[in-house]
Amino acid sequence: MMFQSTRGAAAPVSFDEALIGGLAPDGGLYVPTSWPRYSPADLDGRDSLVEIGARLIEPFAEGGALAAQIPDILSEAFNFPVPSVPIEVADPAERLEVLELFHGPTAAFKDFGARFLAASFARLRRPQERPLHILVATSGDTGGAVAAAFHRRPGFEVSVLFPKGLVSPTQERQLTCWGDNIHSYAVAGTFDDCQRMVKEIFLDRDLATRLRLSSANSINLGRLLPQAVYYAATSIRRWRASGQPLSFIIPSGNLGNAVACVWARRMGMPIGEILLAHNANRTVPDLLETGVLEPRPSVATLASAMDVGNPSNLERLRDLHPELTALRGAVRAISVDDAAIRNRIIEGAARFGQVWCPHTAVAAEAWARLPQAERRDRSWCIVATASPAKFPEIVEPLLGRKVAVPPALAALFDRPSHVSALANGSDALREVLMSGAAEIGR
Ligand SMILES: *Cc1c(COP(=O)(O)O)cnc(C)c1O
């Protein structure tokens, strides 16, 4: 299958080219030119994430170098559990579950996309080639997941840009604990600045080609598409158990995770409502309400991985649903402030025995605010995007106790830190990339 740019001014490319290219040359994002359609029965006999994922993703890779390797890539990438935990709510007519996407090596859902991308890139690489240099802007979790997925992989260099002082201390440790082929930069700016720097570097095609740059942000199709797999598998499981579609509430920032869910539904998966749960960064809820897109600087919140004022993947969402009415029919959105996040973390523990990270708490709050009739009419699934152990500074004082740290995460915390300061703006980034390339060339 071929992929085209959301801006329509770039030639369609294959799956492999879209993965390596990251951003389309016209500045747009790659989207499929057509959609495979399935009914749930087409997936009969397939139970695991890997089996369901292979059926879903293979048509996209068709005709390219990875076509025969999707099952292998998925088994390498998705090698950790993905439970959806039923929650006992007071009203027996309500059905609620929590999809835990945080059992990978860096304890956030970003592991799915990052590990799929790394497994794909490793198979596309030819020996003797100069290293591929992967650029990634992160609001916290992406950088750690990408670093973990590419750490010490021969033929790859990774530069991670994060907003200095705007990620949690625990996240910062995870971004800077690597060394070797991973370069971490604390940028004097916000996440939006980091993202703009990376985008601007890619628009300099000469430089991007010369330095063999690629992107691992959710602008990269290879991050986003594999995320459709857990929505497919989870909704299929519910469908088989009850004959009912499953509605998802997704903690959202750059909308990569949300678009993956919309795409899974587009392919025929039994998914009902898709509710985007945003923090105080209201760009998307405001767009749906007023019809006007007003990108704005991000504001810092407790759910910092969602502090995005100009979500990249909105472009993919609008590409699928250009008309406002259609967009409103496809997704709904809500914005939740920090006070509500704090309350919901406390409530989650008190009412359901659940310890939620601040991002998951945004989704849990969105569920609690649904009218009761809606909570009863549909089966709902709260998407838990990170482990609370990544945010002890926020969660522990609210609960008055320690949060258990998964062993994989604890191991990362013991490593020494490697980080450089970087000025805001693509000139500073260009400079370190050029001098880094000179060093690798020597
Ligand atoms: C990245 C992230 C989000 C937001 O996901 P998007 O795909 O950018 O919308 C939510 N929660 C956590 C924990 C994250 O790391």
Side-chain angles (χ1 to χ4, degrees):
M1 183 185 296
M2 300 300 275
F3 296 84
Q4 66 198 14
S5 166
T6 46
R7 298 193 188 167
V13 297
S14 70
F15 187 62
D16 321 353
E17 288 169 321
L19 259 55
I20 296 284
L23 198 66
D26 61 357
L29 311 190
Y30 285 117
V31 292
T33 49
S34 63
W35 293 95
R37 284 285 295 188
Y38 303 99
S39 73
D42 293 331
L43 296 164
D44 279 356
R46 294 172 185 255
D47 292 319
S48 71
L49 220 57
V50 172
E51 289 165 335
I52 290 175
R55 185 74 204 265
L56 222 60
I57 307 282
E58 269 169 346
F60 292 101
E62 221 170 68
L66 295 174
Q69 304 190 60
I70 297 297
D72 271 0
I73 292 172
L74 286 169
S75 356
E76 180 189 323
F78 296 0
N79 65 344
F80 48 87
V82 189
S84 195
V85 179
I87 303 291
E88 285 272 328
V89 289
D91 180 347
E94 297 177 9
R95 284 163 316 279
L96 178 65
E97 57 191 277
V98 175
L99 176 60
E100 296 186 355
L101 299 179
F102 54 75
H103 297 286
T106 67
F109 80 91
K110 303 294 200 307
D111 282 323
F112 289 89
R115 291 174 62 78
F116 182 92
L117 197 68
S120 299
F121 277 7
R123 284 164 176 78
L124 288 173
R125 173 174 179 260
R126 292 184 212 96
Q128 313 310 327
E129 255 175 359
R130 279 181 304 136
L132 194 65
H133 195 141
I134 292 159
L135 292 189
V136 56
T138 185
S139 54
D141 293 315
T142 292
V146 171
F150 284 95
H151 187 220
R152 292 190 176 152
R153 268 190 200 262
F156 296 95
E157 299 285 323
V158 176
S159 288
V160 176
L161 278 66
F162 65 92
K164 185 172 159 50
L166 296 180
V167 301
S168 82
T170 305
Q171 280 177 318
E172 175 154 348
R173 271 152 81 198
Q174 217 183 25
L175 293 170
T176 59
C177 70
W178 305 98
D180 303 311
N181 59 334
I182 312 292
H183 317 281
S184 305
Y185 295 103
V187 174
T190 62
F191 168 66
D192 290 318
D193 295 326
C194 297
Q195 185 156 263
R196 190 172 332 109
M197 287 163 72
V198 169
K199 275 195 170 180
E200 280 178 16
I201 289 289
F202 277 106
L203 290 179
D204 184 345
R205 297 307 286 180
D206 259 8
L207 186 78
T209 313
R210 203 147 33 94
L211 301 186
R212 294 205 72 220
L213 299 180
S214 186
S215 148
N217 272 104
S218 60
I219 54 175
N220 193 310
L221 183 83
R223 278 268 316 278
L224 205 139
L225 199 54
Q227 292 175 178
V229 174
Y230 46 74
Y231 291 112
T234 308
S235 63
I236 288 280
R237 204 181 304 136
R238 171 110 303 263
W239 180 263
R240 285 174 186 164
S242 68
Q244 271 212 329
L246 189 58
S247 294
F248 289 95
I249 309 179
I250 307 173
S252 291
N254 229 353
L255 298 178
N257 208 7
V259 167
C261 188
V262 171
W263 284 5
R265 188 175 60 189
R266 181 75 181 71
M267 286 183 260
M269 294 300 107
I271 294 169
E273 298 273 325
I274 300 174
L275 175 53
L276 314 180
H278 288 267
N279 59 24
N281 291 278
R282 308 189 36 100
T283 306
V284 176
D286 286 351
L287 165 67
L288 290 176
E289 202 178 305
T290 65
V292 181
L293 172 60
E294 248 186 288
R296 58 202 86 164
S298 53
V299 297
T301 75
L302 292 174
S304 55
M306 294 154 43
D307 292 347
V308 182
N310 188 12
S312 289
N313 284 295
L314 197 51
E315 205 164 318
R316 283 189 167 113
L317 201 55
R318 300 185 91 191
D319 186 73
L320 204 54
H321 304 289
E323 302 292 329
L324 183 65
T325 358
L327 188 63
R328 282 180 176 147
V331 294
R332 293 192 286 165
I334 182 173
S335 161
V336 165
D337 67 14
D338 275 357
I341 294 176
R342 282 195 198 89
N343 280 334
R344 191 51 52 187
I345 291 174
I346 296 169
E347 282 268 294
R351 273 178 62 194
F352 306 125
Q354 291 274 311
V355 183
W356 286 323
C357 87
H359 311 82
T360 308
V362 172
E365 176 68 15
W367 172 79
R369 287 187 193 177
L370 286 170
Q372 188 188 45
E374 272 206 73
R375 291 204 306 262
R376 286 181 163 180
D377 284 349
R378 299 176 179 277
S379 290
W380 289 95
C381 180
I382 291 171
V383 177
T385 47
S387 159
K390 292 189 97 168
F391 308 92
E393 300 87 356
I394 296 165
V395 176
E396 289 181 351
L398 291 172
L399 301 187
R401 61 182 154 92
K402 286 271 174 209
V403 173
V405 181
L409 210 51
L412 297 186
F413 294 164
D414 290 339
R415 303 169 58 96
S417 164
H418 308 262
V419 61
S420 314
L422 193 63
N424 192 344
S426 55
D427 289 345
L429 178 57
R430 186 173 292 113
E431 211 164 287
V432 298
L433 290 174
M434 304 274 282
S435 68
E439 219 160 85
I440 292 164
R442 269 205 289 278

